[in-house]
Amino acid sequence: MGIGDYLETDADGATAVPGVWAAGNVTDMKAQVLASAASAAWTAVVINNHLMAEEMERDLAAYRESQALTGA
């Protein structure tokens, strides 16, 4: 990336690459410190929610599998 380049993201900071997020001045070159920090804080919430959803899906699948094996 050179001067004047930035990463395109959606409103939540997700890039076109699945599982890759970006925030701050790499997504908005005009953003000052507070706006960049706020963007990063929101993106962190989104990433955490994404990771928690993945973990819950794995746990639920394991639970359902254990219930199927025991006949419950």
Side-chain angles (χ1 to χ4, degrees):
M1 290 180 55
I3 295 175
D5 293 335
Y6 64 96
L7 296 175
E8 292 188 33
T9 63
D10 65 12
D12 291 331
T15 66
V17 179
V20 176
W21 288 268
N25 290 105
V26 298
T27 63
D28 181 1
M29 292 179 14
K30 300 174 296 211
Q32 294 184 1
V33 173
L34 291 178
S36 291
S39 169
W42 176 252
T43 300
V45 169
V46 172
I47 292 168
N48 185 59
N49 289 344
H50 176 78
L51 293 172
M52 286 179 13
E54 284 183 347
E55 185 176 347
M56 186 167 44
E57 286 177 22
R58 283 192 308 269
D59 292 346
L60 186 55
Y63 173 77
R64 288 180 175 157
E65 183 178 329
S66 73
Q67 293 299 305
L69 293 175
T70 61

